[in-house]
Amino acid sequence: MRIALDAMGGDFAPEAIVKGALLATEQLDSNFEILLIGKEDVIKSLLLEYGYTGSGIKVINATQVIEMGEHPTKALTQKPDSSIAVGYGMLKAQKADAFCSAGNTGAMLVGAMFSVKAIEGIMRPSIAGLVPKLKGGFGLILDVGANADCKPDVLEQFGEIGYVYAKHVLEIDNPKVGLMNLGEEEGKGTVNTQAAYQRLKANQKINFIGNIEGRDLFNDKADVIVCDGYTGNIILKMAESIYDILNEKSMHDPFFDRFNYEAEGGSPILGINGNAIIGHGVSSPVAICNMVLQAQKMVASDFPEHLKNHFAEE
């Protein structure tokens, strides 16, 4: 298994990325290879500095870097040898089984759409977030930022995409799908969510349990939480802030510690012909390590193939 990692992406790159890759090699067996993409001389110098002598890391040269504030489409067009462009090129050519980056989020999304592209039948790929559950394990919320406005048919597809991910990657038997709304009753919500409810209710491919409210986020009412990217991003950032506040006040609890973005390392892009994960811009070595391990789990589950089969069914 080959996992490509953008060594130049993130606020603390390349040092944090290289250190994270080294942490990941300690947990991966000899069948895994991490492909560090970026400025070869810089990466090799860091590997030497950190005393790495193993064979689990290979350096792939990329002479350009897409900075965090650059326009995604322009940057990818003008910087074809950037670490993100090279990473997606390797994913498309099947020279890598997954691609991870803590770099420019927009470039990661645009790169996915222009290289590996969306799976046939999927209207809008989504960014998903992992939600810790009070009784253990994780649920999934999507979208969390890729699609601010979503029509009912797109929200319905998010339910299907999330169902397949929860079943095959999170290994939840017949995942429960809920629609985030401002009330549990069927008639609640906006015109879009009311229409989405009816589509999800009629969908025989998923286990739709109806509307859920914000208070149901962390309980076991739903394993998959469907919402537009505007709502999902607010929820995700609020959860991160809860952890930050508790941490600042030196208040620690095993459940709330799982709100830390480092726990899973990144958010997968779902609905594309490949495995890609976007990490937090301020990713630490621990977060990078966990992002690589999450990618390993996605690859091992063969998630894109399961999704293709799901949408190929009539």
Side-chain angles (χ1 to χ4, degrees):
M1 185 184 294
R2 296 159 298 179
I3 298 174
L5 179 59
D6 176 10
M8 313 309 292
D11 294 350
F12 305 115
E15 291 82 2
I17 315 302
V18 175
K19 288 179 179 177
L22 293 174
L23 288 175
T25 60
E26 296 174 4
Q27 300 185 50
L28 300 172
D29 60 37
S30 58
N31 294 322
F32 292 87
E33 187 174 48
I34 296 175
L35 310 174
L36 277 176
I37 305 172
K39 296 180 179 180
E40 186 174 14
D41 55 340
V42 175
I43 298 170
K44 287 186 173 180
S45 176
L46 286 171
L47 289 172
L48 183 64
E49 179 183 337
Y50 300 147
Y52 181 71
T53 57
S55 58
I57 293 178
K58 181 179 179 181
V59 180
I60 306 297
N61 189 45
T63 61
Q64 298 172 309
V65 178
I66 295 177
E67 303 296 341
M68 298 298 264
E70 289 191 71
H71 187 280
T73 306
K74 287 183 179 179
L76 284 166
T77 302
Q78 296 169 0
K79 295 182 175 180
D81 199 42
S82 65
S83 50
I84 290 179
V86 171
Y88 272 123
M90 297 188 72
L91 189 62
K92 181 180 180 181
Q94 298 184 344
K95 294 180 179 179
D97 300 299
F99 176 47
C100 305
S101 174
N104 187 305
T105 298
M108 282 294 290
L109 285 168
V110 172
M113 294 302 294
F114 279 91
S115 58
V116 293
K117 297 182 170 49
I119 288 171
E120 186 175 354
I122 291 180
M123 292 174 280
R124 291 192 186 182
S126 166
I127 302 177
L130 292 165
V131 179
K133 293 294 186 174
L134 282 163
K135 293 185 178 179
F138 284 87
L140 193 74
I141 180 170
L142 67 166
D143 184 46
V144 295
N147 307 281
D149 295 306
C150 299
K151 293 182 179 179
D153 53 353
V154 174
L155 291 172
E156 179 191 8
Q157 279 202 346
F158 288 170
E160 295 188 61
I161 294 168
Y163 179 88
V164 175
Y165 186 94
K167 182 177 181 179
H168 294 286
V169 182
L170 300 182
E171 299 180 335
I172 300 172
D173 184 45
N174 197 24
K176 301 185 292 290
V177 179
L179 177 65
M180 181 58 70
N181 213 326
L182 47 75
E184 295 180 350
E185 296 83 4
E186 185 170 331
K188 287 291 184 70
T190 65
V191 172
N192 267 359
T193 55
Q194 288 177 28
Y197 184 104
Q198 297 304 320
R199 296 184 69 100
L200 288 161
K201 181 181 177 181
N203 193 313
Q204 299 298 309
K205 293 183 179 182
I206 60 174
N207 178 19
F208 181 58
I209 54 88
N211 287 327
I212 64 168
E213 298 177 284
R215 62 185 174 185
D216 299 313
L217 192 65
F218 307 112
N219 62 31
D220 290 333
K221 188 169 182 180
D223 303 300
V224 176
I225 298 147
V226 175
C227 59
D228 58 62
Y230 183 91
T231 303
N233 191 265
I234 290 173
I235 290 172
L236 183 70
K237 296 296 174 59
M238 184 190 69
E240 288 181 357
S241 74
I242 291 173
Y243 170 79
D244 290 338
I245 291 168
L246 292 174
N247 195 43
E248 286 177 10
K249 293 182 175 293
S250 299
M251 298 169 65
H252 298 284
D253 176 88
F255 172 70
F256 287 111
D257 286 347
R258 294 164 68 210
F259 281 41
N260 185 356
Y261 76 92
E262 291 183 333
E264 290 297 319
S267 299
I269 304 174
L270 305 183
I272 59 174
N273 289 292
N275 300 293
I277 300 179
I278 302 172
H280 204 298
V282 295
S283 288
S284 66
V286 171
I288 296 299
C289 172
N290 286 332
M291 180 164 59
V292 171
L293 297 179
Q294 184 187 160
Q296 172 202 2
K297 193 172 182 179
M298 285 183 69
V299 174
S301 74
D302 205 14
F303 170 70
E305 286 303 313
H306 286 298
L307 200 57
K308 289 176 188 176
N309 293 336
H310 177 92
F311 280 95
E313 296 173 1
E314 294 184 357

